[in-house]
Amino acid sequence: MKIAVVAANGKAGQLIVEEAVKRGHDVTAIVRSKNKTQAQHLLKKDLFDLTKEDLVGYDVVATAFGAWIAETLPLHSKSIEHFNDLLAGTSTRFLVVGGAGSLYVDKEKKVRLVDTAEFPADYKPLSSAQADELDLLRTKKDLNWTFVSPAAEFIPDGAHTGEYILAGDFFTVNEAGESKISYADYAIAFVDEIESGKYIQERISVLGK
């Protein structure tokens, strides 16, 4: 399978590339600086400078793009509009490294994790921006998107267990009452979805066992 990973130099991006290459896929890292990944190919370009021609021929385009400060948080939604312009109406699937804040905590889907009083205030701006990103994706009817949310506790250097629980739109905990996953196990789940393509125009979430 031919896969492009945008913003591949980040922690999640690097591990997604590593997992995909390990499974024998043909991977291109799309980054703005020196390639830090195991990808076989490199396209050195800013996300917002990508053209339709740059992405022709890929089975999957995945984005691990992240913006972290108030001034740049709107770029999450801007990136979705840009990818929609590039990929809508094509057969290419589009996977997004998402966030946990948009997971629902009620059956009526009116209250998200980010809306709860217990949600850490420092993380609310980023989580709200990622929730807006998902809301925007849901309006894109000609884009083969999948939004992959990690657990509430997303652990950069956590263990590579090779196991995870697949869930959907709702905040979910494991048997120990925990919502956590390592970046390494998240990458496994992410590439599993790249290979299966089971959840087109859906959000899925993953957590550790």
Side-chain angles (χ1 to χ4, degrees):
M1 191 176 288
K2 192 173 180 181
I3 302 166
V5 180
V6 180
N9 276 341
K11 184 70 172 179
Q14 286 190 46
L15 289 172
I16 289 167
V17 168
E18 179 181 337
E19 184 66 26
V21 170
K22 186 191 305 181
R23 299 192 197 186
H25 297 295
D26 185 359
V27 184
T28 297
I30 300 178
V31 296
R32 294 184 299 173
S33 57
K34 182 180 178 181
N35 183 25
K36 301 176 183 177
T37 78
Q38 296 180 14
Q40 300 99 326
H41 313 287
L42 171 67
L43 174 58
K44 192 173 180 181
K45 204 165 189 180
D46 186 274
L47 181 166
F48 295 102
D49 292 330
L50 290 172
T51 66
K52 289 184 179 181
E53 290 72 24
D54 289 327
L55 302 183
V56 167
Y58 288 102
D59 300 296
V60 172
V61 173
T63 177
F65 171 77
W68 317 109
I69 61 175
E71 292 79 6
T72 59
L73 288 177
L75 294 178
H76 283 273
S77 289
K78 183 179 178 182
S79 74
I80 297 303
E81 291 289 7
H82 185 55
F83 281 118
N84 185 69
D85 289 343
L86 302 182
L87 298 173
T90 74
S91 61
T92 303
R93 288 188 289 120
F94 175 58
L95 276 77
V96 180
V97 175
S102 57
L103 291 166
Y104 293 106
V105 297
D106 65 326
K107 292 181 180 179
E108 296 76 22
K109 292 189 174 183
K110 292 183 178 179
V111 181
R112 303 166 303 179
L113 190 61
V114 69
D115 302 320
T116 62
E118 298 79 15
F119 196 86
D122 288 347
Y123 292 100
K124 282 196 174 188
L126 172 59
S127 294
S128 294
Q130 291 177 313
D132 291 344
E133 181 181 19
L134 175 57
D135 287 343
L136 183 59
L137 267 175
R138 293 191 196 276
T139 71
K140 305 305 182 185
K141 304 305 181 184
D142 295 322
L143 182 65
N144 297 316
W145 62 268
T146 305
F147 189 92
V148 187
S149 288
E153 187 179 353
F154 200 15
I155 308 167
D157 298 313
H160 182 291
T161 71
E163 297 184 314
Y164 63 90
I165 298 168
L166 179 64
D169 257 338
F170 296 96
F171 175 68
T172 306
V173 297
N174 60 20
E175 290 183 355
E178 300 169 328
S179 173
K180 63 181 182 180
I181 194 165
S182 67
Y183 275 53
D185 286 343
Y186 175 88
I188 292 171
F190 197 95
V191 178
D192 282 350
E193 174 55 23
I194 284 177
E195 292 182 336
S196 71
K198 288 182 179 178
Y199 300 99
I200 305 300
Q201 295 193 342
E202 293 185 50
R203 184 261 293 280
I204 58 174
S205 57
V206 294
L207 64 151
K209 290 189 173 180

